[in-house]
Amino acid sequence: MTQKLDPASVKGFLSASEGQMLAKFAGVGQSMGALVEIGAWCGRSALYIASNFAETRQLLFSVDHHRGSEENQPDWEWFDPEVWDEKAGAIDTLPHFRRNIRHAGLESNVVAMVGDAASIGLNWHTPLGFLFLDGNHTMTTALADYRAWAGHVAKGGFLAIHDVFPDPADGGRPPFEVCQRAEKSGLFTRVDEVDSLVVLERL
Ligand code: MG
């Protein structure tokens, strides 16, 4: 790993094992199409995925509205006052994201796409070699992100899903249900998993 900033030092919810698995499949997938992540937060996953991209022309498109999910809002379980923008009266993780990408030396490789992931996905037309779904975990949004983006994954490309908890006691169900939906579609098959990360290959 050549980068200047340890991804584990960046705010986020991804384990090192999960990050390394993402980097591995993004590395294989990059020959099959573009690389996209849904849900950027402060850049931890982008730093892992793009960890070998410095001094190459490889891009990662990182999609997020940067206003946080429900569970990140004030008075919720995962609220972090450091990402609160007083003037906007809203969460703003984009300055944190940009600073971390710059410190990692990856400004030429990680492209921030700021907006609603499902809306962007419906306007996207480039086949994907790697897609990482880690956005909002309400069923409505998780499903909308899946529907807008999964169809773009090229044959042989990878769909990675974070926060897949088979036991409801461990966490919310939508990513698990999206994963099940992908596997039952017959279009994807599970090729690897670690912690709460599942990686599927497009058949
Ligand atoms: Mg996550």
Side-chain angles (χ1 to χ4, degrees):
M1 198 174 286
T2 55
Q3 71 194 48
K4 304 158 186 166
L5 180 63
D6 178 3
S9 71
V10 168
K11 287 179 193 294
F13 311 95
L14 194 77
S15 74
S17 306
E18 292 170 333
Q20 285 151 13
M21 186 172 284
L22 290 176
K24 176 183 135 187
F25 283 98
V28 179
Q30 69 187 59
S31 64
M32 288 173 267
L35 313 182
V36 168
E37 71 163 359
I38 308 299
W41 192 240
C42 296
R44 183 187 287 190
S45 53
L47 261 56
Y48 277 115
I49 294 168
S51 55
N52 300 311
F53 294 178
E55 290 157 39
T56 74
R57 304 192 71 174
Q58 181 61 49
L59 299 183
L60 167 67
F61 296 95
S62 177
V63 182
D64 200 313
H65 48 55
H66 285 281
R67 295 300 189 197
S69 298
E70 278 78 358
E71 67 273 21
N72 308 125
Q73 302 304 320
D75 301 328
W76 284 68
E77 187 181 1
W78 297 103
F79 177 63
D80 179 349
E82 286 181 17
V83 299
W84 184 255
D85 178 344
E86 198 59 54
K87 279 187 189 165
I91 285 173
D92 187 2
T93 48
L94 186 56
H96 299 261
F97 178 86
R98 294 201 77 186
R99 187 175 61 236
N100 292 330
I101 297 302
R102 182 167 60 82
H103 285 169
L106 292 170
E107 282 193 300
S108 302
N109 304 99
V110 179
V111 179
M113 298 175 71
V114 183
D116 174 67
S119 305
I120 295 171
L122 294 172
N123 286 274
W124 181 272
H125 298 288
T126 304
L128 303 179
F130 174 85
L131 170 65
F132 178 38
L133 286 181
D134 190 25
N136 181 299
H137 291 348
T138 63
M139 196 61 213
T140 306
T141 308
L143 202 52
D145 289 349
Y146 171 75
R147 285 185 172 142
W149 283 97
H152 296 301
V153 179
K155 283 187 180 175
F158 301 103
L159 167 62
I161 306 175
H162 194 225
D163 303 306
V164 177
F165 298 112
D167 182 349
D170 296 330
R173 296 294 276 179
F176 174 79
E177 289 179 21
V178 165
C179 187
Q180 274 202 320
R181 182 177 291 247
E183 290 184 280
K184 284 181 183 164
S185 73
L187 296 174
F188 292 95
T189 189
R190 188 177 295 222
V191 288
D192 216 340
E193 58 190 273
V194 66
D195 298 339
S196 73
L197 177 72
V198 173
V199 181
L200 311 171
E201 181 179 342
R202 172 73 162 88
L203 297 170

